[in-house]
Amino acid sequence: MPKSSTAVETASRAGHPSPAGEFAERPRGPGAALAAALIGFVVVTVDVSAVNVALPAMGEQLDGGMAGLQWVVDSYTLFFAALMLSAGALSDRVGARRAYGWGLVVFTLASLACGSAPTLGVLIGARVVQGAAAAVLMPTSLALIRQSFGDAGRRARAVGVWTAGGAFALAAGPALGGLLTTVWEWRAVFFLNVPVGVVGLALLSRVGRSPRRAAAFDLPGQLTAVLASAALTYAVIEGGHGGFGRPGVLAAVAVAVAAGAGFVVVEARHRDPMVPLELLRRRSVLASVTTGFAANAAFYGAVFVFGLFFQRARGQSALSAGLMFVPMALSTAALNLFSARLTARFGRRTLIVLGQLVLGAALLLMACAGTRTPVWLVLLMMVPVGVAGATVVPALTSLLLDAVEPARAGTAAAVFNTGRQLGGAMGVAVFGLFLAGPVGEFVPGMRVCMAIGAGAAVVTGAAAGLLLRPRG
């Protein structure tokens, strides 16, 4: 689901309060820091949502099948998710300003490579680099705000602007992707990041240097996390399209299992693990991570499926397909403004369970859409998905942060958002298994996907209700 509602907590590890006197010098360029941070957050968010609409054009021009299109999405999401675990430590070690600059330079160059890609393989490789850079940009963008706004009130307002920018980017991304693909071509979705990145670097030059702190870096844990998630995704995507009995797929399954086991062993023994395993033994943390995983799998899987459905099955243009997502995204952004009031009035457990049930019902409703369903009716079917996201994610975030001590808030938030992004990657991987047939068979496959997503939402909602039930 949308990142804007939890990105503040994701970045807390990179932007935690400093020791007394660390920012005694008056911060330089707070306005420039906010603008630069906003640019990074916006391009990362837009890149997630805009690319889905451009997928059919990419597949047609680069001769890519369903598996290739899945990798265009998941290669970015996987590395974005897995490397986010270590981004806070990198920001601490080298300073937020320097880390943000590195991330923006790499993201801009990778975007140029994506737009210039002559083959699907080159595009997927460039998306991997893009995702790695996005993992650095997300937390360090907020760390820039933390260092540049010493006053708590001004800082809170700056964070509000930053969060609103992400919500707007989420809503505008599909429409922007469709517009660029229709007026120019899909490559423009990536080329647009280049001048934006240059502007961001110019603004960054007006920001003061960031302090550095000693921070442990869990390299074995990071490597095993990336290997396990990438191997599992490969097995699901390639196995679904070429058969799960192939040697390459079986080898990927074995690598995923071995790397996953290695990750658990490393984290259990590491002095400063990036994922403290004892956190996952807490009921509130476990409920937050598993529900967030399932919610994102259903949400991003549905966006992937319907981006293709609008163009391949209904014959809509890329621009028209992009505009179809705007009411859903706007409902998320608008309801996020009232999330704190809703949580205070109804309680987190109620909102989480109810939100997951609404998500499940909405996906089943979307499964009823067909090639001749009126546009206005399809738009109405999609709005409850956005409403569910704005209900569940803030409640999960609040629950998570209250379940851990302040010193571990950043680590817990990184684990939570990594789980959510991995859920999005797995949703695209699994849903794509049912969409590989001819266009005439797309709608039955789409309905299976929506049923799977609905089932995952309902089951995790019920499980969260049981885990969060008051003791006694």
Side-chain angles (χ1 to χ4, degrees):
M1 287 192 178
K3 291 191 282 292
S4 58
S5 54
T6 56
V8 172
E9 291 79 15
T10 307
S12 59
R13 185 174 184 179
H16 55 72
S18 59
E22 191 170 67
F23 296 116
E25 178 182 335
R26 184 177 180 181
R28 287 177 49 200
L34 175 58
L38 191 60
I39 281 177
F41 191 23
V42 166
V43 294
V44 167
T45 305
V46 166
D47 217 68
V48 173
S49 56
V51 167
N52 277 288
V53 179
L55 286 176
M58 295 178 192
E60 183 177 345
Q61 188 175 114
L62 300 180
D63 194 25
M66 183 59 63
L69 297 184
Q70 288 173 271
W71 276 117
V72 170
V73 177
D74 275 355
S75 57
Y76 178 89
T77 307
L78 274 174
F79 282 82
F80 180 23
L83 296 179
M84 199 187 304
L85 290 168
S86 298
L90 174 66
S91 177
D92 285 346
R93 288 172 70 94
V94 306
R97 179 178 180 269
R98 178 175 293 182
Y100 184 86
W102 289 352
L104 193 55
V105 167
V106 174
F107 189 90
T108 302
L109 293 177
S111 297
L112 183 61
C114 287
S116 306
T119 65
L120 196 64
V122 173
L123 174 59
I124 292 171
R127 289 281 285 168
V128 168
V129 179
Q130 247 195 338
V136 176
L137 285 175
M138 178 66 78
T140 53
S141 64
L142 192 60
L144 283 177
I145 295 176
R146 173 64 186 87
Q147 77 169 53
S148 300
F149 290 85
D151 177 73
R154 294 185 64 202
R155 184 166 63 246
R157 289 190 291 272
V159 170
V161 172
W162 181 83
T163 305
F168 175 78
L170 178 72
L176 180 62
L179 176 64
L180 292 173
T181 302
T182 301
V183 174
W184 189 2
E185 61 172 339
W186 64 265
R187 298 179 187 275
V189 174
F190 299 109
F191 285 146
L192 181 65
N193 294 334
V194 177
V196 174
V198 171
V199 172
L201 290 171
L203 290 167
L204 191 65
S205 67
R206 300 175 54 192
V207 179
R209 291 184 179 181
S210 302
R212 302 182 188 183
R213 307 178 184 87
F217 187 78
D218 183 6
L219 182 60
Q222 183 64 86
L223 291 177
T224 51
V226 171
L227 188 58
S229 56
L232 178 61
T233 304
Y234 177 89
V236 173
I237 292 177
E238 299 300 328
H241 295 285
F244 287 97
R246 290 187 302 158
V249 174
L250 294 176
V253 172
V255 170
V257 172
F263 176 80
V264 173
V265 172
V266 166
E267 297 307 280
R269 296 181 177 180
H270 200 281
R271 185 170 59 183
D272 187 18
M274 60 184 185
V275 182
L277 298 181
E278 63 268 21
L279 282 181
L280 299 179
R281 299 189 185 102
R282 304 181 187 184
R283 294 190 305 164
S284 295
V285 175
L286 181 61
S288 296
V289 173
T290 54
T291 306
F293 179 95
N296 256 38
F299 180 86
Y300 282 111
V303 171
F304 172 77
V305 170
F306 270 76
L308 296 172
F309 167 69
F310 292 139
Q311 297 178 72
R312 287 191 169 183
R314 291 177 62 98
Q316 296 179 229
S317 68
L319 176 58
S320 175
L323 292 174
M324 297 290 286
F325 291 99
V326 172
M328 180 183 74
L330 287 178
S331 68
T332 303
L335 196 57
N336 263 326
L337 299 175
F338 305 98
S339 60
R341 295 180 185 178
L342 291 173
T343 301
R345 179 168 183 177
F346 298 105
R348 292 172 297 205
R349 178 173 178 261
T350 299
L351 288 182
I352 291 169
V353 175
L354 182 61
Q356 288 296 89
L357 293 179
V358 170
L359 176 60
L363 293 174
L364 290 178
L365 188 62
M366 289 171 66
C368 299
T371 56
R372 297 185 179 181
T373 305
V375 169
W376 64 268
L377 185 55
V378 177
L379 292 175
L380 287 179
M381 290 177 176
M382 296 172 66
V383 167
V385 176
V387 171
T391 302
V392 172
V393 176
L396 288 175
T397 304
S398 175
L399 173 70
L400 178 86
L401 294 181
D402 281 354
V404 299
E405 53 274 21
R408 286 193 166 182
T411 299
V415 172
F416 173 58
N417 277 332
T418 295
R420 291 180 58 223
Q421 297 310 313
L422 288 176
M426 289 307 301
V428 171
V430 172
F431 284 12
L433 301 180
F434 303 96
L435 305 177
V439 173
E441 300 176 5
F442 190 97
V443 173
M446 176 199 75
R447 289 173 175 162
V448 173
C449 294
M450 296 301 100
I452 293 173
V458 171
V459 168
T460 52
L466 292 175
L467 284 171
L468 302 177
R469 184 174 53 187
R471 294 181 179 180

